[in-house]
Amino acid sequence: SSELLKAIGDSLIGLGEYAHAERVLEDALRLARTEVGEDSAATAQAELALGELLFEQGRNAAAQQHLDAAERGMRRLADRRGLVNTLRWKAYLIAGQGRADDSVAAATEAARLAEQLPASDKRTRMLSQVTLSNVLSTTNPTSGLHAARRAYDLAREIHGDKPSVDVVTMRSQWAYVLALVGDARQGLTELQALLPDQTTLLG
């Protein structure tokens, strides 16, 4: 099925097998279109997965086609979580095109929609907040600081005190934006506090 192929493609991405993953995700998309149609959830999810992979490879024109198709599908299906994730990737892509206002608009919508997800889906909310912080960092770092802190707090709610990639990533963003808004001393303190966890996670 297309869902199985997508799962295989996701696993291949995790292993760094990007070329193989792309072929599998393309097959998943074709199969979804054939099996359940252009307007199906499986098709929208396959479009999103392929768009993410292409964006991460720097193939932005092709990525945008798939992300645009995913956005249309997620909106049509009223798939809030899927739309949040699609808008997050589109925000990064648009930022790379120099369209700061449009990027912030996409990230802001993603963060707003993420707050409407079930309380258990903290990780999607966390990711939407760090995306918002990233795209705001060049235009409105003060607002970006608030989003970074929210992402960091959510990471700690999810993982507690144990070292995790999420907590390190979100705390690093918090430290970076602190420096941007002029609090370099506190930013440095946060980065220094991260060293033990980074050593635990990365060696």
Side-chain angles (χ1 to χ4, degrees), residues 123 126 152 154-172 194 196-198 200-202:
R123 193 163 194 275
M126 177 194 76
Y152 176 33
L154 284 164
R156 289 192 301 172
E157 287 180 26
I158 295 166
H159 298 283
D161 294 329
K162 66 180 181 180
S164 73
V165 172
D166 280 346
V167 172
V168 167
T169 301
M170 302 310 143
R171 194 172 185 181
S172 296
L194 280 169
D197 284 353
Q198 288 175 316
T200 299
L201 290 167
L202 305 175

Side-chain angles (χ1 to χ4, degrees), residues 28-194:
L29 179 56
R30 280 193 293 270
L31 191 57
R33 287 169 171 165
T34 302
E35 280 185 337
V36 285
E38 193 73 36
D39 296 337
S40 67
T43 296
Q45 290 294 339
E47 293 278 18
L48 173 56
L50 198 49
E52 290 178 22
L53 175 60
L54 292 168
F55 174 73
E56 289 185 330
Q57 292 179 301
R59 295 160 60 188
N60 291 355
Q64 180 153 9
Q65 291 182 350
H66 290 289
L67 291 174
D68 285 347
E71 182 183 356
R72 289 192 297 271
M74 300 300 182
R75 290 190 187 279
R76 187 168 54 245
L77 294 160
D79 182 343
R80 188 170 292 155
R81 187 174 187 275
L83 183 55
V84 167
N85 288 320
T86 304
L87 289 171
R88 286 181 49 245
W89 286 101
K90 285 197 71 172
Y92 286 126
L93 188 148
I94 294 167
Q97 297 170 342
R99 296 160 50 201
D101 290 346
D102 290 339
S103 176
V104 170
T108 300
E109 183 180 5
R112 178 180 59 78
L113 290 170
E115 292 300 321
Q116 300 170 24
L117 292 171
S120 58
D121 200 351
K122 291 180 182 178
R123 193 163 194 275
T124 300
R125 297 207 304 278
M126 177 194 76
L127 292 172
S128 72
Q129 289 293 329
V130 80
T131 300
L132 182 58
S133 176
N134 271 306
V135 300
L136 282 169
S137 62
T138 57
T139 59
N140 188 347
T142 301
S143 294
L145 184 65
H146 176 76
R149 183 67 205 199
R150 176 74 174 129
Y152 176 33
D153 288 343
L154 284 164
R156 289 192 301 172
E157 287 180 26
I158 295 166
H159 298 283
D161 294 329
K162 66 180 181 180
S164 73
V165 172
D166 280 346
V167 172
V168 167
T169 301
M170 302 310 143
R171 194 172 185 181
S172 296
Q173 177 66 15
W174 163 244
Y176 168 67
V177 187
L178 276 169
L180 278 182
V181 299
D183 196 348
R185 184 183 299 276
Q186 183 61 32
L188 179 60
T189 298
E190 293 291 333
L191 289 173
Q192 289 171 331
L194 280 169

